[in-house]
Amino acid sequence: MVLNIDRRGLVLGGLGLGAVMLPAGQAAARQLLGASGFTHGVASGEPGPDSMLLWTRYIPATGDGVTRLDVEVALDPDFAKVVSGGVARTGAYRDWTAKITVDGLKPGTVHWYRFVAPDGTKSPVGRTKTLPEGKVDRFGLAVFSCSNLPQGLFNAYAHAAARQDLDLWLHTGDYIYEYGVGSTRETDWAPGRKEQLLPVTEILAIADYRLRYASYRADPDLQRLHQMAPMVALWDDHESANDSWEGGAQNHQPDKEGDWNIRRAAAMQVYREWMPVSDEPWKAYPIGTLATLYRTESRLLARTRPADIGAAFKAADPDAALKAFRDGAWRDPAATMMGSTQESWLAHAMRANPGWQLVGMGTILGRTVMPKDAVDWLKSDVTEKKANSYRNDIRAAAQGVPMWMDRWDGYPAARSRLLKSAQAADADLVMLSGDSHNAWAYGLVEEGRPAGVEFAGHSVTSNGMEGDMGADPKVVARGFMAANPELKWADTSQRGYMMLDITPQRVSGEWLFLQTVKARTTALAGTHRMSVERGRRVFAG
């Protein structure tokens, strides 16, 4: 079932979906939403060789309190061969979402599942696949990031869901965005999307976050994606607030928006309600002896506040201030993205696990400075404030300081620790990241030696660097590669997703570019493919 949400009926007095679903508001919720039964399809995640987490959302037509749902898992879509199942509870206290982990499944096997309500109605049938055991000849993984609903249709999800050669989805974050409608320029809205984003204001409280997920998950392409294969998902910043860290965020002002800890807790709770994820902060997923995929957390639990480079640009002598920043605050070994506990866990895991080490990460690890010609590439109508930010990044680059403090570039000591741990483990490291909205391929280097490669994915819909650029995207890409030794390829102008084909001897990554996200189509504008061979830790060719 695809839920059609009436925005005008919902946005009453700032109440979100969670608020109207409190016991006193259940009747109003049913009237406003027309929502009962299985409202948002099904999903699966946290795959293992013999287990899977299953998700749905069910609102009873009548009654309060707790609802029980039966779960059936079979080897066929007609459920003639039921092999597992269970019983799950849900209620308004968790926004009527339900999750259950089922065991007793067959490794490397497609399974079909459904939920059954007390009145006998059944959810849509979901398809999922367990992880393989032992020797594995090939595994297909799709990687998504940055799906800003107002800025485009989810054509990337539709394209991936129709494929038959993929075993698992990986979402590296920014699954939703916290902004209100006013944050997107009218010219950037995709047709029909403005009416679908709920609530219309920035999300702050638990009710707001619940409503935002409900509006995103009403999208039929996203529902289909979740229905067709399991997803390993991790949050980045926009699931809470832009440029978030343990103690705050760029898009959070305590004097206006309240206690950050309350907002952070709400964001984390609702993410875990609405997504097919466990409450484990990080996790390893063994793909037989072929590879291990890691879900990491680098935003809300231990990330320290990034060093403030802004003051250097305002100093009487900016170049001297940038040098002091480069040699001081920027290199602070106490600065961390993941925290010492997770750093230690990942280092030990890479030593212990066989095969390729596939690390899913919210932000890019590859080192990037702003090319000195970047201002010349800008559109003529770019604001002076925006142009000045590019000039500042160029000035920082002249002192050896990267352009993005909010990603691993802002935490060089932590970056070095991660890459050194991969080298010490003799790991075939493949980083899988998102966040930047554009596509990049990096050959990661530590102390002059190859440490692995990074496939950095472009966005599902979110606008990228091309919004500022008037130059040919090929000129921009060449300029970035010339200025950055680790950068081996880039595309700064297109939307889509990545597909990885993993074999014992090679990981091949393909960036797929959609023709448009402003109209419903799965037609591709093109692709780009790169690969890394086992033991080489550099891109082939």
Side-chain angles (χ1 to χ4, degrees):
M1 173 183 178
V2 176
L3 179 63
N4 294 313
I5 300 178
D6 181 350
R7 177 178 64 85
R8 292 171 297 176
L10 266 177
V11 186
L12 297 174
L15 292 178
L17 185 61
V20 297
M21 285 187 177
L22 294 172
Q26 286 182 3
R30 287 192 293 271
Q31 180 180 359
L32 292 171
L33 290 171
S36 63
F38 293 98
T39 63
H40 286 80
V42 294
S44 62
E46 304 296 350
D50 61 355
S51 64
M52 189 71 66
L53 184 150
L54 307 177
W55 179 99
T56 194
R57 185 168 185 267
Y58 177 81
I59 305 175
T62 58
D64 301 324
V66 175
T67 293
R68 287 164 50 98
L69 300 173
D70 291 319
V71 182
E72 299 175 343
V73 184
L75 293 175
D76 65 300
D78 296 324
F79 291 84
K81 300 177 181 179
V82 174
V83 295
S84 186
V87 182
R89 289 184 179 183
T90 188
Y93 60 91
R94 56 171 303 110
D95 206 12
W96 299 105
T97 62
K99 293 193 292 188
I100 182 173
T101 297
V102 294
D103 288 304
L105 309 182
K106 293 186 177 182
T109 301
V110 171
H111 294 75
W112 307 84
Y113 65 95
R114 65 188 179 191
F115 292 79
V116 183
D119 63 1
T121 59
K122 297 178 176 64
S123 72
V125 174
R127 176 189 182 277
T128 194
K129 189 175 183 180
T130 49
L131 296 179
E133 287 186 326
K135 183 177 181 293
V136 180
D137 293 327
R138 188 259 174 197
F139 192 84
L141 176 68
V143 184
F144 308 95
S145 66
C146 305
S147 41
N148 194 337
L149 184 144
Q151 293 181 357
L153 297 164
F154 291 160
N155 294 333
Y157 295 152
H159 189 278
R163 296 179 67 148
Q164 302 299 313
D165 58 345
L166 295 170
D167 299 293
L168 181 66
W169 317 134
L170 172 66
H171 205 296
T172 62
D174 296 345
Y175 182 96
I176 67 162
Y177 279 68
E178 84 280 18
Y179 299 130
V181 296
S183 69
T184 300
R185 295 176 300 181
E186 196 70 30
T187 55
D188 289 336
W189 281 85
R193 285 309 221 188
K194 194 166 188 176
E195 292 73 29
Q196 296 172 14
L197 185 70
L198 301 169
V200 297
T201 56
E202 179 186 348
I203 54 176
L204 298 171
I206 190 169
D208 303 325
Y209 283 95
R210 284 172 167 172
L211 181 54
R212 185 59 55 85
Y213 278 94
S215 67
Y216 268 68
R217 292 290 292 275
D219 183 273
D221 295 322
L222 182 50
Q223 285 195 21
R224 184 66 173 170
L225 184 82
H226 279 297
Q227 186 180 9
M228 294 306 295
M231 177 182 285
V232 168
L234 55 101
W235 59 52
D236 191 32
D237 54 341
H238 288 291
E239 287 87 352
S240 53
N242 183 55
D243 289 0
S244 53
W245 56 285
E246 181 183 13
Q250 177 274 332
N251 191 27
H252 185 87
Q253 292 72 46
D255 59 332
K256 297 179 180 179
E257 294 161 327
D259 188 335
W260 165 249
N261 290 314
I262 295 175
R263 185 178 185 181
R264 182 180 67 152
M268 291 169 62
Q269 176 180 327
V270 176
Y271 184 88
R272 288 168 172 163
E273 289 173 350
W274 275 86
M275 297 295 289
V277 298
S278 69
D279 289 349
E280 298 160 282
W282 47 81
K283 191 172 182 177
Y285 306 87
I287 306 171
T289 59
L290 176 66
T292 302
L293 173 66
Y294 300 94
R295 169 169 60 82
T296 62
E297 197 290 320
S298 58
R299 272 293 172 190
L300 300 178
L301 300 183
R303 178 195 277 242
T304 55
R305 189 171 191 168
D308 181 14
I309 192 174
F313 299 126
K314 301 174 184 177
D317 186 343
D319 293 332
L322 284 167
K323 289 179 182 178
F325 173 83
R326 178 197 64 200
D327 298 334
W330 182 56
R331 299 184 186 275
D332 184 359
T336 177
M337 293 276 278
M338 301 193 299
S340 58
T341 300
Q342 188 180 183
E343 285 185 11
S344 176
W345 164 78
L346 184 57
H348 283 83
M350 286 193 290
R351 289 200 298 268
N353 292 325
W356 297 98
Q357 306 297 302
L358 311 172
V359 180
M361 188 66 65
T363 54
I364 293 173
L365 199 74
R367 180 63 49 79
T368 317
V369 302
M370 185 66 75
K372 59 182 177 57
D373 298 329
V375 172
D376 299 332
W377 305 333
L378 297 177
K379 293 178 179 177
S380 59
D381 61 351
V382 164
T383 65
E384 182 60 24
K385 180 179 179 181
K386 174 69 72 171
N388 196 51
S389 71
Y390 278 88
R391 295 187 189 100
N392 286 340
D393 285 339
I394 293 168
R395 191 163 201 164
Q399 304 303 328
V401 179
M403 54 189 275
W404 286 305
M405 290 296 108
D406 181 61
R407 66 186 221 185
W408 283 88
D409 270 345
Y411 300 77
R415 178 189 188 270
S416 179
R417 291 194 296 269
L418 192 159
L419 293 179
K420 285 180 179 178
S421 69
Q423 290 174 330
D426 195 27
D428 284 297
L429 176 67
V430 178
M431 298 297 301
L432 305 172
S433 58
D435 182 64
S436 77
H437 305 178
N438 296 122
W440 318 83
Y442 294 89
L444 303 171
V445 176
E446 178 60 27
E447 293 187 338
R449 296 187 295 123
V453 301
E454 181 168 31
F455 294 90
H458 47 322
S459 64
V460 171
T461 62
S462 303
N463 293 339
M465 188 179 297
E466 73 283 350
D468 296 335
M469 297 296 169
D472 185 327
K474 293 180 180 179
V475 171
V476 176
R478 286 196 298 267
F480 269 96
M481 286 187 282
N484 293 281
E486 285 191 342
L487 183 61
K488 306 306 178 184
W489 172 83
D491 179 276
T492 62
S493 64
Q494 300 182 82
R495 312 279 76 79
Y497 70 105
M498 291 192 299
M499 184 272 180
L500 268 74
D501 192 83
I502 305 158
T503 68
Q505 294 304 317
R506 183 179 294 104
V507 173
S508 297
E510 186 175 39
W511 290 262
L512 296 98
F513 304 114
L514 292 155
Q515 285 187 0
T516 182
V517 295
K518 301 304 184 185
R520 187 170 297 282
T521 177
T522 56
L524 295 178
T527 64
H528 182 78
R529 194 174 182 89
M530 297 181 72
S531 63
V532 56
E533 295 180 0
R534 186 71 175 272
R536 295 293 304 277
R537 291 151 204 177
V538 295
F539 282 113

